[in-house]
Amino acid sequence: MTKVIAVANQKGGVGKTTTSVNLAASLAVAERRTLLIDIDPQANASSGVGVEGGGRPVTIYEILLRFHDARAGIVSTEIPSLHVIPSTINLVGAEYELIEVERREHLLRTALSDIRSDFEYIVIDCPPSLGLLTINSLAAADTVLIPVQCEYFALEGLGKLLNTINLVRKHFNPGLDIEGVLLTMYDMRLRLSKQVADEVRRHFGAKVFDTVIHRNVRLSEAPSFGKPVILYDAMSVGSQNYIDLAQEIMQRNGDPAATVDARRAGEAPAAGRGAAPSGSQAGEG
């Protein structure tokens, strides 16, 4: 059974892409066949796993515009069980190019129908907006994961996101649920972080993950090396936080959580799990 999780928050700087990349990597290290879809024109999730969309013949842009099917855009990464469909700056104009397309809100859902069964988890990194690209992601997803930073105005704008989720439920995807609210950028030295965490828990209750993502230098450095933090520094606090998040999500979904040995992140997966789907560009990225 495949689980499609959209990571969304229209507010920038909340750790959305960091969460998409490192959650996907941690699920893959747990030997779950995982696909990361970068649908943000900034393409930071793509570069965060060592894949550059620019110059590639097939990215999420070509897939949404129906020039190619989704399988043609799948690229392998350093982690054997992790694959990515990269983004490109060309995606900036997609919302205008798709405005006249019939059922334009369902383009991603339709594209994923052929490859969904190849993966156990699909993680979608949404852009920091509530436009057509995010609507497509929510329409294609089973659940939405909402990162919230432990800083001033943490809940600012979340009302709009929740309204958008409700509209998507009503018109495009009745089964869409909230996977959880993730507290990010938590600094245990600051009283503010604890106050914000308490406020978020008051608003969302049991929907808030037990796992909290702490501020961590290694987590911030990893993208500049084109690596998830689990490959950059497997023993860092940031790496352990995202391993904990992956295990919590697996447990919430009735998937027996494997014990993840971060030090083995780059090793080949056990036989029968994590093999590259047919049609993927093995060895690239």
Side-chain angles (χ1 to χ4, degrees):
M1 187 89 179
T2 305
K3 186 66 177 285
V4 182
I5 303 172
V7 181
N9 190 330
Q10 80 275 18
K11 187 175 179 182
V14 300
K16 178 182 58 60
T17 297
T18 298
T19 294
S20 299
V21 167
N22 291 294
L23 171 60
S26 297
L27 289 167
V29 170
E31 297 180 1
R32 273 36 178 195
R33 298 186 308 276
T34 304
L35 176 66
L36 173 64
I37 298 177
D38 188 354
I39 200 167
D40 185 344
Q42 297 177 87
N44 289 332
S46 305
S47 60
V49 294
V51 174
E52 298 294 340
R56 289 191 178 275
V58 183
T59 67
I60 194 65
Y61 172 78
E62 286 78 19
I63 292 167
L64 289 176
L65 269 67
R66 300 173 177 171
F67 298 150
H68 293 276
D69 63 26
R71 194 176 305 279
I74 298 173
V75 180
S76 298
T77 71
E78 284 187 69
I79 300 175
S81 300
L82 178 61
H83 297 79
V84 60
I85 295 179
S87 183
T88 172
I89 192 63
N90 293 340
L91 201 57
V92 167
E95 298 205 11
Y96 300 100
E97 295 178 64
L98 296 172
I99 198 70
E100 300 296 331
V101 175
E102 186 178 353
R103 288 176 57 83
R104 60 186 179 272
E105 297 87 1
H106 295 276
L107 294 173
L108 183 59
R109 186 181 187 92
T110 301
L112 292 183
S113 61
D114 291 335
I115 63 169
R116 182 176 172 126
S117 61
D118 292 345
F119 299 95
E120 292 166 277
Y121 292 93
I122 298 176
V123 178
I124 307 172
D125 182 37
C126 300
S129 70
L130 295 178
L132 183 58
L133 296 176
T134 296
I135 298 296
N136 259 267
S137 302
L138 297 177
D142 299 311
T143 59
V144 55
L145 188 158
I146 306 171
V148 176
Q149 82 282 27
C150 294
E151 297 179 352
Y152 284 115
F153 308 121
L155 299 177
E156 186 180 60
L158 278 186
K160 290 182 180 178
L161 175 59
L162 295 175
N163 286 339
T164 298
I165 291 170
N166 287 330
L167 287 172
V168 170
R169 281 180 183 145
K170 182 176 180 180
H171 297 289
F172 310 119
N173 186 2
L176 182 65
D177 197 4
I178 294 177
E179 183 73 30
V181 177
L182 177 67
L183 294 164
T184 64
M185 305 180 193
Y186 186 89
D187 189 335
M188 65 180 65
R189 299 168 300 180
L190 300 180
R191 181 181 299 175
L192 174 63
S193 285
K194 185 178 185 306
Q195 291 172 340
V196 170
D198 290 344
E199 183 179 7
V200 171
R201 289 192 173 100
R202 277 197 300 273
H203 275 80
F204 293 100
K207 282 294 184 183
V208 181
F209 287 107
D210 294 333
T211 302
V212 172
I213 309 302
H214 293 78
R215 281 196 177 276
N216 179 245
V217 172
R218 308 302 268 176
L219 193 57
S220 301
E221 292 173 347
S224 64
F225 291 86
K227 294 178 182 290
V229 69
I230 202 166
L231 291 185
Y232 178 63
D233 186 348
M235 307 312 294
S236 67
V237 170
S239 179
Q240 188 58 57
N241 287 166
Y242 279 106
I243 288 171
D244 291 345
L245 176 64
Q247 292 180 324
E248 186 173 351
I249 286 175
M250 287 189 284
Q251 289 166 353
R252 283 189 177 195
N253 287 282
D255 179 2
T259 299
V260 179
D261 184 351
R263 291 167 295 188
R264 297 181 58 223
E267 295 181 12
R273 296 194 74 105
S278 59
S280 68
Q281 302 169 53
E284 294 191 16

